[in-house]
Amino acid sequence: MSWNKDGAISYAKTHAQPQSTGNCAHYVTKAIRNGGGLNIPNTRSAKDIGITLVNAGFRLVYDQPHAGDVAVIQSIPHHDHGHVCIYDGQQWISDFVQRSMYPGPGYRELHPHYELFRHD
């Protein structure tokens, strides 16, 4: 499956909102689709998108993030659906441009488990 990570990153950047809308899975899924070649289904919870990514040809990686990598972060109290974001090589983007991979103070404080996925 051919996928253009630069197209996905560009889409994520141009569609990012000024702040979180609570729709990270929707925004990241649309960015991945707009990279071309991957028609992944919608996922109800961001924390569950990992299997969808694997089925689309992404693989789990354990090194420093590269442009186009997708982080799937598990839930924390008051954020039952977890979080998902895509890396542009310098910053993480979901439904907004984030300060770090963890999207908010609760995530930054608790550091929940995450997995990093890459499409080669």
Side-chain angles (χ1 to χ4, degrees):
M1 289 176 250
S2 139
W3 183 60
N4 179 349
K5 68 181 175 189
D6 296 321
I9 291 167
S10 176
Y11 184 91
K13 285 182 178 181
T14 59
H15 289 82
Q17 301 301 307
Q19 60 191 24
S20 176
T21 66
N23 293 301
C24 61
H26 173 76
Y27 276 75
V28 173
T29 296
K30 286 192 79 164
I32 291 168
R33 287 180 187 149
N34 278 275
L38 301 179
N39 188 17
I40 66 171
N42 293 330
T43 305
R44 183 176 182 277
S45 288
K47 67 180 183 176
D48 298 330
I49 200 171
I51 190 67
T52 299
L53 295 172
V54 169
N55 289 340
F58 284 78
R59 62 184 172 86
L60 192 58
V61 294
Y62 300 96
D63 59 356
Q64 293 298 313
H66 297 180
D69 285 359
V70 177
V72 179
I73 305 171
Q74 294 306 298
S75 59
I76 62 171
H78 309 293
H79 296 278
D80 296 339
H81 295 289
H83 188 71
V84 63
C85 48
I86 188 168
Y87 191 59
D88 76 352
Q90 296 183 338
Q91 55 194 356
W92 291 95
I93 305 166
S94 55
D95 50 337
F96 69 106
V97 178
Q98 303 174 191
R99 286 184 11 193
S100 69
M101 183 188 68
Y102 290 116
Y107 283 94
R108 288 190 289 274
E109 179 183 331
L110 297 173
H111 290 97
H113 177 75
Y114 72 90
E115 293 179 324
L116 195 60
F117 294 87
R118 181 173 300 148
H119 196 284
D120 295 314

